[in-house]
Amino acid sequence: MRRLIAEELAPQHVAFAVADAPDPAGRAKDGAPPVLLPRAVGEIVGLVVRHRDPERYALLYQLVWRVLNGERDLLRIPGDPLVHRLGRMARAVEDDIRAMQARLRFRRDAAHPDRLVARYEPEHFVLEAVAPFFADRFRSVAWTILTPLGCVRWDRAALAFGPPPFDPFRGAAAPGPIGAAIQTARARVEGTNEQESAMADRRETEHDPERKAREPRTLQELNAAIAAAGPLVPGATQAVFGEGPAHADIVFVGEQPGDQEDLQGRPFVGPAGRLFDRALKEVGIDRDEVYLTNAVKHFKFERRGHRRIHSKPTAGEVRHYRPWLMKELELVRPRLVVALGGTALLALTGKQTPISRSRGRARFGGLNGYVTVHPSYLLRLPDEETRRRAYEDFLRDLAQIRDLAKADPQTGELPLAAE
């Protein structure tokens, strides 16, 4: 960013490629001269740079540019859209830091009795900011903190940071000084938004021949890796794998298995699945010719008496399963990927976006996509008339999905019947 300022490049001429994690200290690697900013600007930069929003650097560059070009008191204008958005992002990071300080709990590591271990899922890149707090509080004890975004180790003298010690295709802690110390711990897997994850995966695979050799080459190998890893949240009976032709034209991605799916080991066989089957038949889509899967592969629930009540997966849990979902799509190579509901959309894009804003045609990386509601949404609607209208809208979406899957892959033109 310093180099951009030195070259006097306006924000509209700059496109940022977001790295896997921020550099909160703002260490310049390009030799550019330092930029003198008001203290309040430096403070908000130090917070917002830790936010998960992939636009954070572009927004901060807009702020710095405006402050250096005649708007030095910009942060004193709370009604400015940029200031308002950055303020919300900064508060979210502060809340995340306080939450981690209050909620993180250490336990004795069974494999290393002299070391404590804790697992936590922050929403943002706050590990580096929070670690000194625990180093001061537990100064005389060796400990390790695992998160989906990285981990930190305290050896009673210094903090050592590292990547998430988990390889989704090996199902065990990765090699390295931190991974070796927690080999038997249940690790959380990394994940960022779609662009960040894709960039990181490509770099790791290109520079790690061993990992490339481990990656599944078939759906059967992928399912074996998922089964070997086990559920992220204990309780599920089994992993529920995708189902359908290995190279189907359409892949439907749901949220996670429900009670019946968990018991039967098949996707979309519960009440929402039966409604989905009915809708597919009404628009002429053969279930046996499409591929059905879920963003999360294990059932997460709360027990109430003898009943197991579905519990929505967290963003961290969705990120944990994302490498397997993306590998699944890579192996199936569909013409169209359909996100059924917000969790599927989060898994495919890395962003939490309301379905009302995203419904319709989409792009998921290099794949043509479509966004619609999950069939379970229709079951939760309060009255018959509302359900009827929503079901008709769902049928219209499925009809368009049916036609889009037949479109020319080069031109995107629909068959004459569909037009």
Side-chain angles (χ1 to χ4, degrees):
M1 192 176 289
R2 294 180 182 182
R3 180 175 57 81
L4 299 175
I5 293 293
E7 295 179 4
E8 298 185 351
L9 284 174
Q12 61 266 30
H13 301 307
V14 179
F16 287 88
V18 184
D20 299 329
D23 183 6
R27 295 175 283 268
K29 301 178 178 65
D30 52 19
V35 178
L36 298 179
L37 296 168
R39 177 178 295 180
V41 175
E43 290 173 352
I44 199 168
V45 168
L47 288 169
V48 172
V49 76
R50 302 181 190 278
H51 200 280
R52 290 291 298 274
D53 193 324
E55 297 181 5
R56 60 187 179 272
Y57 291 116
L59 295 171
L60 289 173
Y61 188 60
Q62 291 179 43
L63 172 68
V64 172
W65 178 266
R66 290 174 62 181
V67 167
L68 295 176
N69 285 271
E71 298 183 70
R72 196 165 182 84
D73 295 326
L74 178 59
L75 288 182
R76 296 182 181 178
I77 309 174
D80 183 275
L82 176 63
V83 174
H84 177 72
R85 182 172 178 184
L86 290 174
R88 291 183 61 183
M89 293 169 70
R91 288 190 294 275
V93 171
E94 289 177 324
D95 290 345
D96 205 26
I97 290 173
R98 285 192 291 268
M100 188 169 179
Q101 290 174 339
R103 298 173 184 170
L104 184 140
R105 295 290 183 270
F106 286 103
R107 288 183 170 81
R108 188 70 59 183
D109 187 343
H112 305 275
D114 60 337
R115 174 172 292 274
L116 301 179
V117 64
R119 305 174 190 88
Y120 192 80
E121 295 180 8
E123 287 297 320
H124 306 288
F125 297 100
V126 299
L127 182 61
E128 190 171 336
V130 174
F133 169 84
F134 290 105
D136 183 64
R137 190 171 183 180
F138 299 96
R139 183 169 297 276
S140 61
V141 183
W143 49 257
T144 300
I145 298 175
L146 311 175
T147 83
L149 306 177
C151 55
V152 60
R153 182 183 182 189
W154 169 254
D155 63 1
R156 302 184 182 90
L159 291 167
F161 294 88
F166 187 84
D167 183 333
F169 301 126
R170 174 182 280 173
I178 295 179
I182 49 159
Q183 189 75 23
T184 60
R186 182 181 299 278
R188 312 286 191 176
V189 72
E190 65 188 328
T192 55
N193 67 68
E194 179 183 18
Q195 294 172 329
E196 292 174 304
S197 295
M199 291 168 59
D201 288 347
R202 283 198 300 271
R203 287 196 298 270
E204 287 188 24
T205 301
E206 289 169 0
H207 295 93
D208 186 356
E210 181 185 351
R211 175 179 175 178
K212 188 171 183 178
R214 288 195 305 269
E215 289 195 5
R217 292 177 172 80
T218 66
L219 290 171
Q220 290 76 15
E221 291 181 3
L222 175 64
N223 292 341
I226 296 171
L232 180 61
V233 178
T237 305
Q238 59 191 314
V240 178
F241 309 126
E243 179 178 279
H247 299 296
D249 287 341
I250 306 174
V251 170
F252 287 96
V253 181
E255 181 191 79
Q256 70 171 4
D259 180 73
Q260 289 301 309
E261 287 84 358
D262 177 65
L263 295 175
Q264 298 184 38
R266 296 182 58 208
F268 293 91
V269 294
R274 290 191 291 273
L275 179 63
F276 187 45
D277 284 350
R278 171 186 150 196
L280 291 176
K281 290 178 182 177
E282 289 192 33
V283 299
I285 297 177
D286 188 341
R287 172 173 170 140
D288 293 336
E289 294 181 0
V290 299
Y291 189 90
L292 306 176
T293 190
N294 283 297
V296 173
K297 307 302 183 186
H298 294 91
F299 181 37
K300 178 185 174 185
F301 60 90
E302 297 177 2
R303 189 171 293 281
R304 298 179 188 172
H306 296 295
R307 300 175 62 201
R308 302 190 303 172
I309 306 300
H310 166 276
S311 181
K312 184 178 177 68
T314 66
E317 289 158 2
V318 174
R319 289 193 296 268
H320 172 88
Y321 287 92
R322 188 177 192 273
W324 290 316
L325 174 63
M326 303 316 290
K327 174 57 69 172
E328 197 171 15
L329 296 177
E330 179 186 322
L331 292 171
V332 177
R333 302 194 303 274
R335 295 167 69 108
L336 188 69
V337 178
V338 181
L340 296 171
T343 298
L345 184 58
L346 171 62
L348 291 166
T349 66
K351 300 178 182 179
Q352 290 182 319
T353 309
I355 295 299
S356 58
R357 285 173 45 193
S358 308
R359 195 166 186 169
R361 299 179 69 165
R363 288 285 293 178
F364 301 134
L367 294 169
N368 290 320
Y370 198 96
V371 179
T372 186
V373 298
H374 193 283
S376 63
Y377 162 78
L378 306 176
L379 298 176
R380 296 194 300 269
L381 293 174
D383 59 81
E384 187 62 35
E385 179 59 23
T386 304
R387 284 193 293 272
R388 184 189 63 78
R389 289 198 303 267
Y391 184 70
E392 290 175 354
D393 291 340
F394 186 54
L395 290 179
R396 280 191 286 270
D397 284 344
L398 291 179
Q400 189 168 9
I401 290 164
R402 174 200 63 206
D403 296 336
L404 287 172
K406 300 175 183 177
D408 186 293
Q410 302 299 324
T411 65
E413 294 181 358
L414 299 175
L416 290 177
E419 296 174 347

